[in-house]
Amino acid sequence: SHISFNVLLNDAFEGGGTRYHDDETTAYDLTPPKGDVLLNNAMVRHEGLPVRDGTRYIMVGFTNVDVRDPWTGEENGAGWYAVVAVDAVGVGEIQGRDVERDA
């Protein structure tokens, strides 16, 4: 798939979230509120973070994107390398942080 998405369905848990890896030393942790959607290029390295208490329910989906209109062959402006946190108001906050790697 080209794009994956997940929707947080509840908030009765502690911990959790999604970590996106920029490179070997930098990661971005997102913990969106219930109902928000995370969209990302399916090739972007990411992982679910551990839940410390309760149960985290998410709906996950995958879709493909045509970068060219299948009828006209014209490029449609779809980009491949984006990570977006979308909520009802606009783009959510993404916080970058350094992560330690096991040797």
Side-chain angles (χ1 to χ4, degrees):
S1 68
H2 297 139
I3 294 176
S4 65
F5 64 89
N6 70 61
V7 181
L8 182 61
L9 301 176
N10 72 323
D11 56 10
F13 63 91
E14 292 184 32
T18 303
R19 174 173 291 163
Y20 293 93
H21 297 272
D22 207 14
D23 54 36
E24 290 301 314
T25 61
T26 306
Y28 302 89
D29 292 347
L30 294 175
T31 53
K34 179 173 72 173
D36 275 16
V37 178
L38 296 179
L39 300 168
N40 61 273
N41 178 313
M43 300 302 290
V44 171
R45 197 169 125 222
H46 61 286
E47 63 182 309
L49 297 172
V51 173
R52 293 187 303 274
D53 187 45
T55 302
R56 176 180 178 227
Y57 294 100
I58 61 173
M59 177 177 66
V60 177
F62 308 92
T63 188
N64 289 323
V65 175
D66 291 325
V67 294
R68 294 184 178 275
D69 183 299
W71 290 276
T72 67
E74 294 179 23
E75 289 190 18
N76 61 22
W80 294 109
Y81 300 102
V83 176
V84 182
V86 179
D87 60 29
V89 186
V91 177
E93 182 177 337
I94 300 176
Q95 297 181 349
R97 68 180 198 82
D98 291 334
V99 295
E100 293 182 17
R101 297 278 175 216
D102 294 333

